[in-house]
Amino acid sequence: MGEFELTILGCGSARSWARHLPSSQILSYRGKLFMIDCGEGAQREFFRYGFNLNRVGHIFISHLHGDHCFGLIGFISTLVLQGKTGELTIHAHRDLEALLAPWLDYFCRNDLFKVVFAPLPVKGGVIYEDKSLAVTSFPLRHRVPSYGFRFDEKAKLPHIDKSAAERYGIPLKELQAIKEGAGYTLPDGETVPNERLVLPPSPSQSYAYCSDTVYTKSIVPYIKGVTVLYHEATYTGEYAEQAKSRYHSTAAQAAEIARQAAAGTLIIGHYSSRYKDESRFLEEARPIFPDTVLAYEGMKFRF
Amino acid sequence: MGEFELTILGCGSARSWARHLPSSQILSYRGKLFMIDCGEGAQREFFRYGFNLNRVGHIFISHLHGDHCFGLIGFISTLVLQGKTGELTIHAHRDLEALLAPWLDYFCRNDLFKVVFAPLPVKGGVIYEDKSLAVTSFPLRHRVPSYGFRFDEKAKLPHIDKSAAERYGIPLKELQAIKEGAGYTLPDGETVPNERLVLPPSPSQSYAYCSDTVYTKSIVPYIKGVTVLYHEATYTGEYAEQAKSRYHSTAAQAAEIARQAAAGTLIIGHYSSRYKDESRFLEEARPIFPDTVLAYEGMKFRF
C-alpha cells in the first residue's frame, strides 16, 4: 500500500445526471490534493468528503467539454469565499483562460488569491514536479483536444535495515545520510558499506487518467506499467460503432488498453446515460483484464 | 386553487451546500415553465423532478452572484445536448451577456437553438407578457444590482353560469363569445343580457420573488397583495447586524415585508450556511406573519 488515495467525485458522462455526477476526481498524495477534471457540482462533493481547501494547489482539466470543466467557476468561487489564499494553478487547454478569466475577474476578485493558467503543452510533457512526484500529460484522441495525465512517484530512498542499525549501534542522526547512500564508520574506524545497512526502497506507485478518448494504442507507451489506470468506458460493446463515431471507448477497449499497458488495476467510468446498471461493463472488461473495477461516486482507492 | 405551481430546486445561500442547494425555482403556469435563478446544479434538480425541457422559454436571474447564476451554462448546455430547439430568453443584468455569450459560443453552438439576452430595465418594469400572464421586475437592494420578479395572472374571463346555459339551451360554440361579454339571442329573437349568463371569474393569482435583498420597505408597493411571496431570510435575528452589513434580511424582516404587503403566504429561504436547523426562522417570522412556511428542496406549492 502506497501513499496515493484516489477519490471519485463524479464518473458519469454529459447527460448521466440521474445516476452519476460529471467527471471529477481528487488524487491525494502526502497531504497535497490534486483535482482532475471539475464537472458541475464538484465543489459539493469536495466538501462532502471533508477535503481541506488549503491543500488544493493544482487542477488538471483533460479537455474543454462541459461535463469536465463547468464546475470550475463554482469551485474556485467557493474557495475564495471560504478564505483560501495563495495560488491555484489550472492545467488545461489554452482556450480556458480566455473563457474563465472574465468570470474570475467578475465573481472572485480577491487580492489574496490568484489563479494561474498553465496551458497544456500541445504534444504533452512534464507539467508538474516536486521533490517526490511528477505529473506528465499526453495526448488522447477525442472530438476536441484531450489529454491524459500520469502521476509518478519518484524513486524512493531505501529503507534502513533495522537489525543492522541495531547491530552496529547507529545513532538516529546518521540514518538520513545512510538512506541517501552513505556508509557508517564504526568507533574502531572500520566502515560498514551502505549496501549492508539498507533494504530495497518501497516500489514507486503511479496513476494515469484517460478520459475522454477513443480506443487508441497510441496512449499505451505513456501509461506503461502504471499502478492504477482510470480509463473511460462510455459504452458497452453493443454500441461500439457509436463509441467510435463519438470518439469514446467501450469497456472491452478500456480493458485492452490496460492489458497492453500492463497496468496494475483498471478503474472504468464515464458511463453513458443510457445505462441503468453498469454490471455489463465489468462482464465485458474482466475477461480481457481481470483486475477491473467500476468507478462510483464516493469510491476511494488507496495505492 | 389556481394554476401556478412553484417548485423549489434550491433555497440555500452561497456556502450552504451541506444542507441546501443554491437558489433556483421553477414556476409552472398553464404548461409553461419559468425558471427563476439558476445556481450550480439546477439542471440536475430540473430533470430529477421530471420537468420537460421544451416547456422552458424564459429564465429570470435576480442578480449576478454565483449562487444565483453559475448553473446557467450547464443547464443550457444540457438543453442543447437533449435536442431543445427554438429560443430561450434570459432576463438578467446586462453584464451577463458579455460573460455568458463566449461560453455558449464555445460549448453550445447549435443552429437550431438560440439564447436571447434580455437586459433587465434598470428601474424595473414589465419584462414578459403573454395573453394570460405578465412578469414585472423591480429593484431590490443588495451589494450588486438585484431585482425582484412578480408574476401576475391577468384578469380572467367570467365563468359560464351552467344552469343559465342549460335553461336557455345555449350551444357550446356560443360559450366563448359569452365569456368575452356577448349576450345570447334566443330563437324567438329575445336577447338574454350577458350578466344573466355568467358568474364572477376566478380571482387572479400572483407570485413574487425577492432574493437577495436587505430589508427595505421600498419593495412593498411592488409586491402589494401578492398571493405568494418568496422573500430571502438569510439570517435569524441574532445576526441582524450581519444581515444589514451584507445586504441580506432576517426572518423577522421578511415577515414584516409580507405583513406590509398583505401577502397571502410567505415562503422564506436562502438560509445561511451557519444553520443546521431552520426552525428558528419560523419561530421568528410567524409572530409577525403567521402564514409563513420554510422553503426546502423539492417543495411544491400550488396556488
Side-chain angles (χ1 to χ4, degrees):
Chain A
M1 187 79 79
E3 297 178 80
F4 282 110
E5 183 180 79
L6 177 71
T7 304
I8 306 289
L9 303 186
C11 57
S13 58
R15 291 187 285 165
S16 53
W17 286 92
R19 285 180 58 79
H20 292 288
L21 298 174
S23 296
S24 190
Q25 309 188 342
I26 296 289
L27 185 67
S28 166
Y29 183 73
R30 296 192 180 177
K32 289 181 180 168
L33 302 178
F34 301 93
M35 178 178 270
I36 306 167
D37 281 341
C38 186
E40 186 176 350
Q43 64 163 313
R44 187 183 196 196
E45 308 312 302
F46 181 88
F47 291 108
R48 180 205 297 270
Y49 298 123
F51 288 116
N52 180 340
L53 60 92
N54 289 310
R55 298 271 166 90
V56 189
H58 294 262
I59 302 179
F60 301 88
I61 301 295
S62 61
H63 64 298
L64 299 186
H65 276 161
D67 58 321
H68 295 255
C69 65
F70 282 170
L72 277 171
I73 182 63
F75 182 59
I76 296 171
S77 171
T78 297
L79 294 184
V80 173
L81 282 175
Q82 300 275 39
K84 183 172 170 66
T85 56
E87 278 190 7
L88 176 72
T89 301
I90 306 180
H91 305 264
H93 186 275
R94 64 188 177 82
D95 286 355
L96 184 67
E97 180 167 4
L99 289 161
L100 192 58
W103 284 71
L104 296 174
D105 197 47
Y106 197 92
F107 292 100
C108 317
R109 197 186 292 242
N110 185 303
D111 291 339
L112 301 172
F113 177 75
K114 190 181 172 200
V115 171
V116 177
F117 289 93
L120 291 173
V122 174
K123 297 186 173 177
V126 176
I127 55 174
Y128 171 86
E129 199 165 9
D130 63 26
K131 68 184 196 318
S132 52
L133 194 70
V135 184
T136 312
S137 67
F138 51 91
L140 305 174
R141 279 184 59 206
H142 194 46
R143 301 192 300 280
V144 298
S146 185
Y147 291 87
F149 302 111
R150 176 175 177 144
F151 297 74
D152 279 287
E153 265 188 311
K154 292 183 176 175
K156 296 176 178 176
L157 295 177
H159 293 289
I160 297 291
D161 180 340
K162 282 178 188 160
S163 61
E166 274 177 29
R167 191 179 329 129
Y168 297 115
I170 300 175
L172 278 177
K173 67 181 169 61
E174 299 294 329
L175 296 182
Q176 188 61 28
I178 293 170
K179 279 188 167 195
E180 289 168 5
Y184 179 65
T185 305
L186 296 169
D188 67 3
E190 190 197 344
T191 293
V192 185
N194 179 265
E195 62 267 27
R196 283 171 51 194
L197 301 174
V198 297
L199 297 171
S202 300
S204 291
Q205 310 290 323
S206 53
Y207 175 64
Y209 176 86
C210 300
S211 184
D212 297 352
T213 188
V214 73
Y215 172 73
T216 171
K217 291 183 185 179
S218 65
I219 68 172
V220 173
Y222 298 109
I223 58 176
K224 204 78 190 177
V226 76
T227 316
V228 175
L229 168 65
Y230 179 94
H231 192 290
E232 74 128 288
T234 306
Y235 298 102
T236 51
E238 187 184 355
Y239 295 98
E241 275 309 307
Q242 184 152 351
K244 192 173 177 184
S245 70
R246 298 195 53 76
Y247 286 80
H248 283 301
S249 303
T250 65
Q253 288 170 338
E256 179 59 24
I257 293 291
R259 194 187 66 73
Q260 290 178 32
T265 297
L266 169 65
I267 303 175
I268 53 177
H270 200 268
Y271 317 113
S272 160
S273 60
R274 70 173 64 245
Y275 299 98
K276 305 288 171 255
D277 168 8
E278 288 82 20
S279 58
R280 283 273 303 286
F281 286 82
L282 264 196
E283 289 164 20
E284 296 186 7
R286 283 190 167 162
I288 300 163
F289 192 80
D291 198 359
T292 302
V293 296
L294 292 174
Y296 60 88
E297 280 74 11
M299 175 195 223
K300 281 188 184 286
F301 205 88
R302 292 187 184 81
F303 54 102
Chain B
M1 187 77 79
E3 298 177 81
F4 282 110
E5 184 180 77
L6 176 70
T7 304
I8 306 288
L9 304 186
C11 57
S13 58
R15 290 187 286 164
S16 53
W17 285 93
R19 284 180 59 80
H20 293 288
L21 298 175
S23 295
S24 188
Q25 308 188 345
I26 296 290
L27 186 67
S28 165
Y29 182 74
R30 296 192 180 178
K32 289 180 181 169
L33 302 178
F34 301 92
M35 179 178 270
I36 307 167
D37 281 341
C38 187
E40 186 177 350
Q43 62 162 315
R44 187 183 196 195
E45 308 312 304
F46 181 89
F47 290 107
R48 180 206 298 270
Y49 298 123
F51 288 116
N52 180 339
L53 59 94
N54 289 311
R55 298 270 165 88
V56 189
H58 293 262
I59 302 179
F60 301 88
I61 302 294
S62 60
H63 65 297
L64 299 186
H65 276 161
D67 57 321
H68 295 254
C69 67
F70 282 171
L72 278 171
I73 182 63
F75 182 60
I76 296 171
S77 170
T78 297
L79 294 183
V80 173
L81 281 176
Q82 300 276 37
K84 182 171 169 70
T85 56
E87 276 189 10
L88 176 72
T89 301
I90 306 180
H91 305 264
H93 186 277
R94 64 188 176 82
D95 286 353
L96 184 67
E97 181 168 4
L99 289 162
L100 193 58
W103 285 70
L104 296 174
D105 198 47
Y106 197 92
F107 292 101
C108 320
R109 197 186 291 243
N110 185 304
D111 292 339
L112 301 172
F113 176 74
K114 191 181 172 198
V115 172
V116 177
F117 288 92
L120 292 172
V122 173
K123 295 185 174 178
V126 175
I127 54 173
Y128 171 87
E129 199 165 9
D130 62 29
K131 66 184 199 319
S132 52
L133 194 69
V135 184
T136 313
S137 66
F138 50 93
L140 306 174
R141 279 184 60 207
H142 194 48
R143 301 193 300 280
V144 298
S146 184
Y147 291 87
F149 303 111
R150 178 175 175 142
F151 297 74
D152 277 289
E153 265 189 313
K154 292 184 175 175
K156 296 177 178 175
L157 295 176
H159 293 288
I160 297 291
D161 179 343
K162 281 180 189 161
S163 62
E166 274 178 26
R167 188 179 332 128
Y168 296 115
I170 301 176
L172 277 177
K173 68 181 169 63
E174 300 293 331
L175 297 182
Q176 187 59 28
I178 292 169
K179 281 189 164 193
E180 289 168 5
Y184 178 67
T185 305
L186 296 168
D188 67 4
E190 188 197 346
T191 292
V192 185
N194 178 267
E195 60 269 25
R196 283 170 52 195
L197 301 174
V198 297
L199 298 170
S202 302
S204 292
Q205 310 290 324
S206 52
Y207 175 64
Y209 176 86
C210 301
S211 185
D212 297 354
T213 187
V214 75
Y215 172 72
T216 172
K217 292 181 185 181
S218 65
I219 69 172
V220 172
Y222 298 109
I223 58 175
K224 204 79 191 176
V226 77
T227 316
V228 175
L229 169 64
Y230 179 94
H231 193 290
E232 74 130 288
T234 307
Y235 298 102
T236 51
E238 184 184 357
Y239 295 97
E241 276 308 307
Q242 183 153 351
K244 193 172 176 184
S245 69
R246 299 195 52 77
Y247 287 80
H248 283 300
S249 303
T250 65
Q253 289 170 337
E256 179 58 25
I257 292 291
R259 195 188 63 74
Q260 290 178 33
T265 297
L266 169 65
I267 303 174
I268 53 177
H270 201 266
Y271 318 114
S272 159
S273 61
R274 70 173 62 247
Y275 299 98
K276 305 287 170 259
D277 167 9
E278 288 82 22
S279 58
R280 283 274 302 286
F281 286 83
L282 263 197
E283 288 164 21
E284 296 186 8
R286 282 189 167 162
I288 300 164
F289 193 81
D291 199 359
T292 303
V293 296
L294 292 173
Y296 59 87
E297 281 74 11
M299 174 195 223
K300 283 189 183 285
F301 204 87
R302 294 188 182 80
F303 54 100

